[in-house]
Amino acid sequence: MEDLPDDVLLALLQYVDAKDVFACRLVCKRLCGLALHPDVWRRRCIEVLSSLHEDDCSWKCAALGLAPCLGALKVGLPSRTCVARNLKKTSCEVAKLSLDFWDDAIADARAPIGRQVRLGRLSHLSLFFFDCHRECGAFLLKLPVFAPDLQTLAVSGNLDVGHHMVGADTQRFHNVYKAGERLAQLRHFDWRVNGLNEGFGSFLMFLFATSLEEVSFSSYLGAPYVNVLSTERSERLAGMPNLRVLSCPALPGLEAVAACGSLREVTLYVMRMTHPDYPGAAAFLRGAVQLRKVTLQYRPGADSPADAGVDLVAALGASGRSQVESLVIDNDRVQDFPQLDPLLSALPSLPALQHLEVDVDAVPGELLQGITPVTAPALRSLRLRVYSRCIHAWMHADAIRKFLAMNPCVQLLLLRRPKYCDGGVPCTVCALGCQHRIWDSSDLKKDEVVDSCWIVINRNLFCQ
């Protein structure tokens, strides 16, 4: 170990369990110093639930007292742990801070936020409210005052402040800030929607309209969406000068957001909600010709061409001016793929499309046959989210062989799965026994390209 340079030891310590890092400090003076290097801690995450006792988190208290930084810290309040107490005086700089708390823990929450703001590394704050009412609303209204440089805010939970703090008082609060309060330059707002926090979420959008770059509306604990966007609020989104990324369901008035010239990425949730406006969503996709990346996420997945929202993909190419470079159709692992016909009809009208990703359950012969250098001239990668048992079963499919032969410039990737059935009862294809000759060949391993989620299909892997 004496021959190893410090940067090598630091790289190794990043993979050592946090509790064991403290044990390394006892080995020698050199490790004692390296164990507290920022590179060892900057990506680590610590979570402390409010129900934990001090004995359960002593090493976490040590981390707050000794570690120079953390990637993320999540704490439940109120808490009897030493971590909650040390938050008020720690010198450990946290990049992402998540706090879960009730109304009676407001005082406990304000101090750690202020502390991390003063330390200067905090960029992401996530707040989850358990049945909070007036006190939580007042706390959030004052948040920009003691966290003026916050860039990302996620709000979720039962925040019942719509009738107490907003409503007719919106203009009054706005005037308060215009009178001299320093506003946070909030860039990312993740709003977990439920009926109770609707009013306050709308107010935050109004307050930070000029600085927001990413806005996300997501469902609260699987509950149906409430009608969080009126036409007026959609027009407010459209008027955001810096909005680049938007994630939302098919909400009323969405077609107005097509006028937002800075918008580049959109995720549309096609799912259960109170009043879906699919015609408005289709009009938005037709009009937003500035989009570069589009994701259509179906929850639950569609299994029939008659299901609502299936034809949204066709709207992308309807304008004839589409600049979409990446398209993802996430159909929630449903066996059928009813978006097939709309997708094939839209492909020739998507001349800039370079990356396509879809959910499939079996070899999508029609889709592979419909993708050619003529219908998709710019396509460079096709990702198939395959949920079958193994990858090898696909190596006997003529449709894949023909696709690669017809599209030599397109990289085909399958969602990473076991290469073949190993042990137990093999699938029908693996029962043929050719998988070991194909996948275990040392000559093929150098050509195999694998990342953390996807495996690239090479021509050399096909069974003869």
Side-chain angles (χ1 to χ4, degrees):
M1 189 181 73
E2 295 178 355
D3 297 331
L4 293 177
D6 286 354
D7 56 348
V8 173
L9 290 176
L10 287 174
L12 293 174
L13 284 172
Q14 293 178 37
Y15 296 95
V16 176
D17 187 76
K19 289 190 290 187
D20 295 332
V21 170
F22 290 110
C24 291
R25 296 184 68 236
L26 305 177
V27 175
C28 63
K29 289 184 178 180
R30 186 185 181 197
L31 281 180
C32 181
L34 292 177
L36 299 182
H37 193 280
D39 289 348
V40 178
W41 293 94
R42 70 175 71 253
R43 294 182 179 85
R44 294 185 185 268
C45 175
I46 291 181
E47 181 174 352
V48 184
L49 301 179
S50 59
S51 60
L52 289 178
H53 298 291
E54 291 197 17
D55 291 341
D56 299 318
C57 60
S58 57
W59 71 269
K60 299 177 183 179
C61 295
L64 284 181
L66 297 173
C69 57
L70 285 174
L73 176 65
K74 182 175 181 180
V75 180
L77 300 172
S79 174
R80 294 173 294 176
T81 67
C82 55
V83 170
R85 294 193 298 271
N86 289 351
L87 271 176
K88 302 176 182 179
K89 56 184 179 180
T90 182
S91 297
C92 179
E93 301 175 356
V94 177
K96 298 181 179 180
L97 179 63
S98 299
L99 298 176
D100 300 351
F101 56 91
W102 303 75
D103 248 351
D104 56 1
I106 292 296
D108 295 334
R110 187 176 290 112
I113 295 175
R115 180 67 178 173
Q116 290 302 323
V117 167
R118 289 190 293 274
L119 290 174
R121 190 163 178 254
L122 183 67
S123 63
H124 182 116
L125 178 62
S126 178
L127 304 173
F128 189 97
F129 301 96
F130 293 95
D131 296 325
C132 284
H133 299 284
R134 192 177 187 91
E135 292 299 320
C136 289
F139 166 75
L140 275 177
L141 284 173
K142 296 177 181 178
L143 183 60
V145 178
F146 58 91
D149 299 319
L150 189 66
Q151 297 180 7
T152 300
L153 174 64
V155 177
S156 56
N158 294 326
L159 180 60
D160 187 8
V161 298
H163 298 292
H164 298 294
M165 303 300 298
V166 192
D169 292 332
T170 298
Q171 189 59 46
R172 179 170 65 86
F173 286 120
H174 181 56
N175 290 338
V176 169
Y177 284 103
K178 286 180 66 177
E181 298 285 7
R182 184 182 179 189
L183 290 179
Q185 291 300 301
L186 197 67
R187 294 192 175 100
H188 180 195
F189 179 37
D190 183 2
W191 178 11
R192 293 293 183 94
V193 179
N194 67 8
L196 295 177
N197 65 18
E198 175 184 352
F200 197 81
S202 300
F203 174 67
L204 289 177
M205 282 180 53
F206 171 74
L207 195 61
F208 303 118
T210 58
S211 63
L212 281 173
E213 298 178 6
E214 300 182 28
V215 176
S216 174
F217 304 94
S218 49
S219 178
Y220 169 64
L221 297 180
Y225 277 98
V226 294
N227 192 5
V228 295
L229 281 185
S230 64
T231 302
E232 177 185 356
R233 293 170 188 164
S234 295
E235 291 173 351
R236 185 171 296 149
L237 274 174
M240 290 182 178
N242 297 303
L243 184 63
R244 296 183 300 101
V245 182
L246 174 64
S247 302
C248 67
L251 298 165
L254 196 60
E255 63 270 20
V257 186
C260 181
S262 59
L263 192 60
R264 293 296 181 268
E265 298 182 20
V266 166
T267 297
L268 282 179
Y269 305 127
V270 185
M271 58 188 303
R272 183 166 52 103
M273 55 182 291
T274 306
H275 299 293
D277 183 6
Y278 295 119
F284 163 72
L285 292 174
R286 286 193 298 268
V289 295
Q290 72 275 28
L291 294 179
R292 299 296 190 272
K293 182 177 181 179
V294 175
T295 299
L296 300 176
Q297 187 179 93
Y298 294 79
R299 295 293 186 273
D303 54 15
S304 168
D307 287 349
V310 166
D311 59 349
L312 284 176
V313 64
L316 276 176
S319 69
R321 297 177 292 147
S322 172
Q323 300 182 60
V324 171
E325 299 173 355
S326 175
L327 174 61
V328 178
I329 303 177
D330 181 355
N331 201 39
D332 199 23
R333 306 171 70 169
V334 173
Q335 183 173 1
D336 297 318
F337 185 61
Q339 297 90 347
L340 175 62
D341 289 340
L343 174 59
L344 292 178
S345 67
L347 276 180
S349 301
L350 302 175
L353 187 65
Q354 299 180 29
H355 309 286
L356 176 63
E357 179 180 328
V358 299
D359 267 350
V360 288
D361 185 65
V363 177
E366 291 184 63
L367 174 62
L368 295 176
Q369 186 177 0
I371 297 177
T372 69
V374 176
T375 60
L379 194 67
R380 293 299 177 264
S381 72
L382 173 62
R383 299 189 175 214
L384 303 178
R385 287 186 172 273
V386 186
Y387 298 98
S388 56
R389 185 172 175 179
C390 69
I391 297 296
H392 177 70
W394 285 56
M395 297 300 98
H396 284 253
D398 288 338
I400 291 184
R401 190 194 311 266
K402 293 178 180 178
F403 171 83
L404 292 175
M406 187 179 299
N407 300 275
C409 295
V410 179
Q411 186 182 57
L412 180 63
L413 302 97
L414 303 184
L415 192 65
R416 192 170 182 182
R417 287 289 183 271
K419 298 174 183 177
Y420 51 81
C421 300
D422 188 12
V425 180
C427 66
T428 303
V429 176
C430 288
L432 299 175
C434 59
Q435 64 272 22
H436 298 286
R437 175 175 55 83
I438 299 297
W439 291 97
D440 296 344
S441 170
S442 59
D443 295 335
L444 290 178
K445 288 186 178 180
K446 63 179 181 295
D447 298 324
E448 193 177 315
V449 182
V450 178
D451 66 15
S452 59
C453 297
W454 301 88
I455 182 169
V456 177
I457 300 304
N458 298 312
R459 293 177 179 82
N460 291 334
L461 298 178
F462 283 101
C463 303
Q464 304 299 323

